[in-house]
Amino acid sequence: ESRNDEAVWRVFRKGFEERMVLSRLHPKVIAVEDDEVTFNHAWQNNQWHCLETVSFDLVQPQSIKDKAHSWLGRMTSIKDTNEHFRVYYLVGEPQLEGSRKAFEQALNVLHKTPVQHDIIRESDAEAFAAEMAQRIVAHEAESE
């Protein structure tokens, strides 16, 4: 059975909740003249840090690659914005062993993203939340 983006977000959200910084994440729209992408979870210091959950826990291997290409296209479309931003792809890995090759190919596609980006696997969710929480709190302390 596949998991949607929301199911994968719950894995990542837990670390932000435990560190009491989830409320500091807000929706952010990155726009260019003819397109825009809404990120549901973002925060800003000297740049926007946009978190995007991408579940690759899909039944069909081709769907995994298609989803990666879709995100590559979206980021290519908004890369010429005036806003300084970084995308963090929070990826959910497939549970089906037969989908591993498609998953690795999908990660390679995401690495072609023409904006600053990081790919964070579910297994690194706790460490990622800890690092982001530390950065959020440090930024807020500097701003006071």
Side-chain angles (χ1 to χ4, degrees):
E1 194 171 310
S2 65
R3 292 177 298 151
N4 62 16
D5 294 341
E6 183 57 36
V8 173
W9 168 244
R10 285 192 291 272
V11 173
F12 285 91
R13 182 182 68 199
K14 184 178 177 212
F16 291 102
E17 287 175 336
E18 290 171 354
R19 289 164 181 80
M20 295 182 265
V21 295
L22 184 62
S23 64
R24 270 80 153 214
L25 301 177
H26 303 284
K28 172 62 182 165
V29 176
I30 303 289
V32 293
E33 185 177 326
D34 60 352
D35 202 4
E36 66 181 37
V37 174
T38 300
F39 297 95
N40 292 325
H41 310 286
W43 68 280
Q44 182 182 24
N45 55 13
N46 60 337
Q47 70 177 349
W48 279 101
H49 299 271
C50 303
L51 313 182
E52 186 56 50
T53 308
V54 183
S55 175
F56 288 126
D57 189 11
L58 306 172
V59 175
Q60 298 296 323
Q62 187 60 46
S63 298
I64 293 170
K65 293 193 298 188
D66 289 347
K67 192 167 188 177
H69 282 109
S70 174
W71 275 106
L72 175 60
R74 290 177 195 166
M75 295 303 101
T76 300
S77 183
I78 63 167
K79 71 179 175 60
D80 294 326
T81 182
N82 292 329
E83 297 204 66
H84 191 53
F85 73 103
R86 177 178 213 98
V87 175
Y88 299 85
Y89 293 112
L90 311 180
V91 299
E93 298 186 29
Q95 296 174 36
L96 296 174
E97 195 56 41
S99 296
R100 299 303 300 173
K101 182 179 178 187
F103 173 66
E104 294 303 325
Q105 291 171 333
L107 294 181
N108 291 337
V109 169
L110 288 183
H111 278 299
K112 296 176 183 177
T113 297
V115 300
Q116 289 185 332
H117 65 279
D118 291 292
I119 297 173
I120 315 298
R121 294 175 183 238
E122 277 178 285
S123 58
D124 297 323
E126 190 65 29
F128 176 72
E131 177 189 337
M132 282 290 120
Q134 183 179 18
R135 291 171 67 189
I136 290 168
V137 170
H139 172 70
E140 289 178 350
E142 289 174 9
S143 300
E144 290 178 355

